[in-house]
Amino acid sequence: MIGQTNILVIYTGGTIGMVQDPKTLSLQPLTFDILYKYLPVLENFNCRIDFYTFEPLLDSSNMSPSFWIHLASVIEENYEDYDGFVVLHGTDTMAYTASALSFMLENLNKPVIFTGSQLPIGMVRTDGRENFINSIEIAAAKDVDTPVVPEVAICFENKLYRGNRTSKLNAENFGAFISGNYPILAEIGVHIKYYDNLILKPNFKKLRVLKELDENIAILKLFPGISQSSVDAILTTRGLKAMILETFGSGNAPTAPWFLEQLKEANSRGIILFNVTQCKGGSVDMGRYETSASLSKIGIVGGYDITTESAVTKLMYLLGCGFSAESVKQLLQTSLRGEMTV
Ligand code: ASP
């Protein structure tokens, strides 16, 4: 129908659609038909809403790159038929999936809005109802014919975040997410206030979906007292191609000779070392302190203000694209989808 807005809701699982098993008291996923019964208001929207349900439904702790590829493929197959997409997803790994999708969907010119909830939709005080309804409205929003939010975003508790800038911050509060280094894209009150200057602009090019992800990466989170054997164990992981070094503050790490020697040796074996801060706000600034200058000399790449979630998925994507190590290092320091401030 000309002029009609069509939204595809992709239900992957998560708390939003769960009910309590009366016997075990654990939360288990609902089918979409039942979930839909809790939201009759969806029928009043001025757009057509269709559904695609993952089989089986997943607690997001069971998400993996193969599911990200499945999700990207569903969006690709339906891209021409819909104006926007809403992905219902568990909150635990939502920031990883949203980050992964932001890299995999090159030339995305339509909204892909992730949402979920802290309380199941069947519960009286659920936050799922608002999150779901707001997400549909945002996915359908257009300025004349152009979508208002042509990027991967997370809609949660009256805020819209860039997907690859978020982290899950709180396991209980309705405000579960933080975007420590990038402002929100929209604020949801009586009206939805979009901050157009912060939202990515469409490029009107054809969507390209990259479906190769290389999982040969690892994260080494530093802590005072980290042992030589545990660093060694990670760096000698079979098949390892890249490691995220989660550093202190503005990208700092111990200067103990054994530690630097191990990193130097890994770098000389061609392992890409990516410096990402453990802080939820602020940026890696290699060279600001002596404790990061030594990392720079070894050839470690600084990740500016990228989140760990984004770093993991960007590395899987870049390695999956088959770029040389030198190109990967260069692209790690380039903002591809607004994931970092260079
Ligand atoms: N464990 C759930 C999940 O991530 C939590 C949630 O949805 O909030 O699937």
Side-chain angles (χ1 to χ4, degrees), residues 13-16 18 58-61 89-93 117-118 168:
T15 295
I16 192 161
M18 286 187 177
L58 294 168
D59 183 296
S60 77
S61 299
H89 193 289
T91 57
D92 290 348
T93 65
S117 68
Q118 294 282 56
K168 184 170 179 181

Side-chain angles (χ1 to χ4, degrees), residues 10 30 43 53 116 134 156 166 172 184 203 215 220 225 228 232 240 274 285 304-305 331:
I10 305 169
L30 277 178
E43 273 157 27
T53 304
N134 291 336
F156 223 85
T166 59
E172 287 186 14
I184 54 169
N203 64 8
E215 298 166 33
L220 176 64
Q228 191 164 349
D232 183 57
L240 187 70
F274 193 31
D285 182 2
Y304 297 93
D305 60 357
L331 291 166

Side-chain angles (χ1 to χ4, degrees), residues 134-149:
N134 291 336
S135 299
I136 300 269
E137 184 139 350
I138 290 167
K142 283 188 196 166
D143 184 2
V144 193
D145 277 338
T146 309
V148 176
V149 187

